[in-house]
């Protein structure tokens, strides 16, 4: 049995694989390198479904997509679905993080609440679709810390921890993150459709 991960972000592929592999023994999890659809949805769910649908149509396999981002309360939920390109089209993680820190430079600790969101979507070649949302609450730090993970992890202090998401081990992050929570909801659906 094969499924394909409909993302071109290598960090996501790594995390999705590590989370899924132990839960889906016997399922081969492939990375997708086909055409990228235009992500013109107005929500994480719409964009996740657009990506999953395109990969399922292109490969003829069940496809899982991840649309995710960081949502900052005081910015009304931004960067949100625009997280990957917050500082421009280049998807430069360092620049994105610096811009966000600069935008919050005058915001005190008690007003820096934020959460990561991940929508994990499943699309089958027969048109079946599902989407599950996971959220990881926390707050934004004033300076980056840590070298693990990717994206905004160095400036995110997860609720219940005294270290940034980039200081957590991959093992811990993959047990508690927005991505882990979304996949927890999707795995039973996957097992059912794959007959596992
Ligand atoms: P694909 O569309 O090919 O999957 P992408 O990176 O463009 O790759 P998104 O549009 O979903 O994907 O953007 C997600 C961005 O949100 C990502 O580039 C990071 O900047 C941020 N992000 C998502 N999950 C994250 C995590 O676990 N840790 C840190 N940053 C994260």
């Amino acid at each position: 049995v094969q499924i394909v991960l409909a993302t071109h972000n290598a960090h996501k592929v790594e995390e999705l694989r590590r989370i899924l592999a132990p839960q889906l023994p016997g399922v081969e999890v492939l990375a997708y390198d086909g055409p990228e659809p235009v992500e013109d949805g107005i929500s994480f769910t719409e964009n996740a479904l657009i990506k999953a649908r395109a990969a399922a149509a292109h490969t003829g396999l069940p496809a899982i997509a991840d649309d995710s981002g960081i949502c900052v309360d005081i910015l009304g939920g931004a960067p949100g679905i625009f997280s990957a390109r917050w500082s421009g089209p280049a998807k430069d993680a360092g620049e994105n993080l610096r811009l966000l820190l600069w935008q919050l430079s005058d915001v005190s600790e008690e007003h820096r609440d934020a959460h990561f969101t991940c929508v994990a979507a499943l699309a089958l070649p027969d048109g079946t679709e599902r989407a599950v949302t996971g959220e990881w609450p926390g707050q934004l730090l004033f300076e980056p810390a840590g070298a693990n993970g990717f994206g905004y992890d160095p400036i995110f202090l997860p609720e219940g921890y005294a270290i940034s998401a980039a200081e957590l081990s991959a093992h811990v992050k993959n047990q508690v993150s927005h991505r882990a929570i979304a996949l927890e909801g999707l795995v039973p659906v996957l097992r059912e459709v794959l007959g596992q």
Side-chain angles (χ1 to χ4, degrees):
V1 185
Q2 294 181 319
I3 58 172
V4 65
L5 297 179
T7 170
H8 289 78
N9 180 326
H11 299 284
K12 285 192 192 175
V13 171
E14 167 78 13
E15 290 191 6
L16 291 166
R17 274 221 169 100
R18 280 193 187 220
I19 297 167
L20 286 172
Q23 304 190 66
L24 296 172
V27 176
E28 197 183 344
V29 182
L30 307 173
Y32 173 64
D33 62 0
E36 272 188 270
V38 181
E39 274 179 63
D40 56 1
I42 58 160
S43 65
F44 290 111
T45 301
E46 280 184 22
N47 285 339
L49 286 168
I50 287 169
K51 291 188 274 191
R53 215 174 274 147
H58 187 79
T59 61
L61 293 171
I64 296 176
D66 164 315
D67 202 66
S68 46
I70 191 152
C71 307
V72 180
D73 289 9
I74 203 160
L75 299 180
I81 61 169
F82 306 108
S83 294
R85 296 184 179 83
W86 193 233
S87 63
K91 291 194 182 180
D92 182 326
E95 286 299 316
N96 287 341
L97 171 162
R98 276 189 285 280
L99 174 59
L100 189 57
L101 276 188
W102 177 79
Q103 290 173 311
L104 268 79
S105 46
D106 289 336
V107 178
S108 63
E109 199 178 322
E110 57 274 26
H111 294 114
R112 298 175 74 91
D113 287 357
H115 60 271
F116 276 117
T117 297
C118 172
V119 172
L122 168 70
L124 303 188
D126 72 4
T128 305
E129 295 182 349
R130 293 282 189 287
V132 181
T133 304
E135 289 190 357
W136 193 18
Q139 62 181 135
L140 290 189
L141 295 165
F142 287 88
E143 284 174 14
N148 302 331
F150 68 101
Y152 297 89
D153 282 338
I155 59 167
F156 184 72
L157 180 69
E159 199 176 283
Y161 291 87
I163 53 176
S164 81
E167 293 174 305
L168 293 179
S169 67
H171 180 74
V172 170
K173 182 184 174 191
N174 290 334
Q175 281 181 331
V176 299
S177 75
H178 50 314
R179 190 158 289 111
I181 295 166
L183 288 180
E184 200 176 289
L186 201 65
V187 163
V189 183
L190 269 166
R191 286 209 181 103
E192 200 179 310
V193 302
L194 300 175
Q196 293 287 299

